[in-house]
Amino acid sequence: PCNLTGWWENDLGSKMQVFKVGNDGTFSGEYHTAVSSAKKPIQASPLIGSQHLDEDGQCTFGFTVNWKKFSDSTAVFVGQCFNGDDGKEVLQTSWLLREKVDSEPDDWKATR
C-alpha cells in the first residue's frame, strides 16, 4: 500500500514532508517549494490533507498549502499514488494556485 509519510520531491525540486497519516487518512506536513513569484524569500509552508485509504494501495489524496509565511496565496493539490514496476511509489498530482488580487474585476487572473 502507498504510504505518504516521509519526504517527496517533484521534477522542479520542490519537496514535501508528510509527518504522519492517521488511521482516518488525515495528514499534515510542510511544503518546501523551489519556485515562487513572491518577492519575499521562500519559506517552508504548512500543509494539511486527506488520503483515501484503498486496499490496492493506489490511493487518491488531496492537500492544501498555505503560503502565509511569504505570500498571500494558497494552493490545493489532488493526486493519486501509484506503485511503479520498479517498486517505487510515485505521486501524480494536479494543482491550483490562488493568488490574492486587489479587486473583484481582477478575479479572472487570480487562479493558475
Side-chain angles (χ1 to χ4, degrees):
C2 183
N3 182 356
L4 292 180
T5 302
W7 284 95
W8 298 89
E9 184 172 356
N10 72 13
D11 297 340
L12 298 176
S14 296
K15 297 177 183 175
M16 168 178 79
Q17 181 182 18
V18 175
F19 299 138
K20 178 184 176 185
V21 178
N23 291 337
D24 61 354
T26 59
F27 60 90
S28 64
E30 287 186 332
Y31 200 94
H32 304 253
T33 188
V35 295
S36 172
S37 61
K39 293 179 173 64
K40 295 181 183 177
I42 294 173
Q43 295 186 44
S45 299
L47 68 83
I48 189 160
S50 182
Q51 174 183 353
H52 192 273
L53 303 172
D54 289 340
E55 290 181 18
D56 67 3
Q58 300 192 135
C59 64
T60 59
F61 59 89
F63 59 92
T64 301
V65 179
N66 185 334
W67 310 107
K68 66 183 177 182
K69 294 182 178 181
F70 67 94
S71 174
D72 289 333
S73 61
T74 302
V76 292
F77 293 75
V78 292
Q80 184 172 347
C81 181
F82 293 96
N83 293 309
D85 293 336
D86 59 2
K88 291 185 179 181
E89 296 168 339
V90 175
L91 305 182
Q92 292 292 339
T93 62
S94 297
W95 56 269
L96 290 171
L97 176 75
R98 176 62 187 224
E99 294 180 304
K100 182 179 171 183
V101 291
D102 294 328
S103 65
E104 187 176 357
D106 289 333
D107 184 65
W108 68 271
K109 63 180 179 180
T111 304
R112 291 192 258 168

